[in-house]
Amino acid sequence: MSARKIIIDTDPGQDDAVAILLALASPEDIDLLGITAVAGNVPLTLTSKNARIVCELSGKPDVKVFAGCDRPLGRDLVTAEHVHGKTGLDGPSLPDPQMPLQEQHAVDFIIETLRAHPSGTVTLCPLGPLTNIALAFEKAPDIIEKVQEIVLMGGAYFEVGNITPAAEFNIYVDPQAAHIVFRAGAPIVVMPLDVTHKALVTQPRNDAFRALGTPVGKAVAEMTDFFERFDKEKYGSLGAPLHDPCVTAYLIRPDLFSGRHINVEIETHSELTMGMTVADWWGVTDRAPNAMFIGDLDADGFFSLLTQRLGRL
């Protein structure tokens, strides 16, 4: 099979960085057409900068990076420096990028790319709030039917919320955008907290990254060292969950994951549960399924894949 053509839409974030690195290390599986940045974990100026830092870290400065929306569709921006640090990539000391930011707006790049390729050949991989994707769908509804699949990190059901009691961060930041995307009709695969919290970077797994002995291995280990302090304190877990790399790992090894095709609705009205992903896991409504909601993964297989691929960079 030929490599799968994808666009990564992202708000780096240490775990976003690892997801991008996995994609760049896997050219036989993934053809990365471009990276689009969105405001989320940190503001847009930093997410668009961080995406380029990661590309240069991987030795791939030819990747095109586009800046997109700097705020949600209908709300003030909520960021997560309390998790990711003031830069979004706190942990390693990485130089400022030399590669340019593309002049085209990310939303226009998404539209242009989907129109330029045959239907069903481009997958969208959102790792942050869904603002860019929703705006592209609103601006050019003709592209929706051209999307092969949307594989996204966001939402939660059994694990409930990580930014409010009911909502996961990516969906909470722009619930209106998420509502648009989940109602659009494109095939969706969701990596919620229910699965990403099982992708824990324990000490032996982080030691394996560091033991690669490369700038990438060292940087990933240092990112995780920084990132994990928040989750260890909050959840009492043995390490930090690598949320976003679940998206790129799924593209390479879908057999590592399992879930259910169910209905997922986004709460956009109640301030108490704003951004909640109402997942009909048990099929108790007659609402039509609109997403493959992933619930489990082979964690050892996941980290084996990740470590092996990162060792290529």
Side-chain angles (χ1 to χ4, degrees):
M1 289 180 61
S2 59
R4 189 163 178 175
K5 296 181 185 299
I6 74 167
I7 296 171
I8 291 180
D9 187 70
T10 182
D11 61 338
Q14 291 90 347
D15 56 322
D16 305 70
V18 180
I20 294 167
L21 290 169
L22 178 56
L24 292 173
S26 306
E28 71 271 42
D29 298 298
I30 293 174
D31 179 6
L32 181 57
L33 302 177
I35 296 174
T36 52
V38 68
N41 285 323
V42 286
L44 181 66
T45 52
L46 288 174
T47 61
S48 56
K49 175 183 177 181
N50 290 348
R52 290 177 289 146
I53 288 173
V54 173
C55 290
E56 291 189 356
L57 172 65
S58 71
K60 312 282 187 182
D62 55 334
V63 177
K64 293 182 178 180
V65 177
F66 303 81
C69 298
D70 63 358
R71 63 179 67 85
L73 296 183
R75 291 162 60 82
D76 292 335
L77 177 63
V78 175
T79 55
E81 287 89 351
H82 63 289
V83 179
H84 299 280
K86 67 183 188 313
T87 70
L89 287 183
D90 280 22
S93 177
L94 298 171
D96 286 346
Q98 301 302 305
M99 59 187 281
L101 190 63
Q102 300 298 307
E103 292 185 7
Q104 187 179 27
H105 193 281
V107 170
D108 294 325
F109 169 73
I110 292 168
I111 293 169
E112 180 182 281
T113 303
L114 283 165
R115 284 177 172 168
H117 287 80
S119 290
T121 62
V122 176
T123 294
L124 302 178
C125 298
L127 309 178
L130 289 162
T131 316
N132 287 340
I133 309 300
L135 194 58
F137 284 1
E138 292 275 273
K139 188 174 179 179
D142 59 286
I143 67 173
I144 296 171
E145 64 180 15
K146 301 201 72 172
V147 175
Q148 179 179 358
E149 199 167 42
I150 300 170
V151 184
L152 67 91
M153 189 278 133
Y157 179 60
F158 294 100
E159 286 286 308
V160 295
N162 65 352
I163 187 68
T164 74
E168 178 276 331
F169 177 81
N170 285 345
I171 305 298
Y172 177 77
V173 170
D174 199 341
Q176 287 76 21
H179 176 76
I180 290 167
V181 172
F182 275 82
R183 288 286 184 94
I188 297 177
V189 177
V190 183
M191 296 290 161
L193 299 181
D194 305 288
V195 67
T196 67
H197 277 178
K198 296 172 183 175
L200 285 180
V201 187
T202 59
Q203 190 62 53
R205 288 167 176 167
N206 210 33
D207 289 344
F209 294 148
R210 189 173 276 106
L212 291 172
T214 62
V216 166
K218 179 174 181 282
V220 169
E222 290 176 350
M223 286 181 200
T224 307
D225 282 340
F226 178 87
F227 186 42
E228 71 177 4
R229 89 222 182 280
F230 176 80
D231 291 279
K232 281 185 171 181
E233 182 178 338
K234 182 175 183 177
Y235 297 110
S237 60
L238 295 174
L242 280 182
H243 305 285
D244 295 328
C246 288
V247 169
T248 35
Y250 177 84
L251 299 177
I252 300 165
R253 288 281 309 279
D255 59 298
L256 295 174
F257 298 84
S258 61
R260 295 183 184 181
H261 193 225
I262 62 171
N263 179 268
V264 181
E265 301 290 339
I266 310 298
E267 176 57 59
T268 59
H269 296 291
S270 166
E271 278 302 326
L272 183 64
T273 56
M274 181 66 72
M276 182 178 182
T277 44
V278 183
D280 189 10
W281 185 260
W282 302 113
V284 295
T285 75
D286 59 0
R287 295 196 291 267
N290 63 346
M292 173 60 73
F293 202 78
I294 303 298
D296 205 359
L297 88 162
D298 173 353
D300 288 337
F302 170 83
F303 279 98
S304 176
L305 171 70
L306 186 56
T307 305
Q308 186 266 329
R309 293 293 172 95
L310 293 180
R312 297 173 169 184
L313 297 175

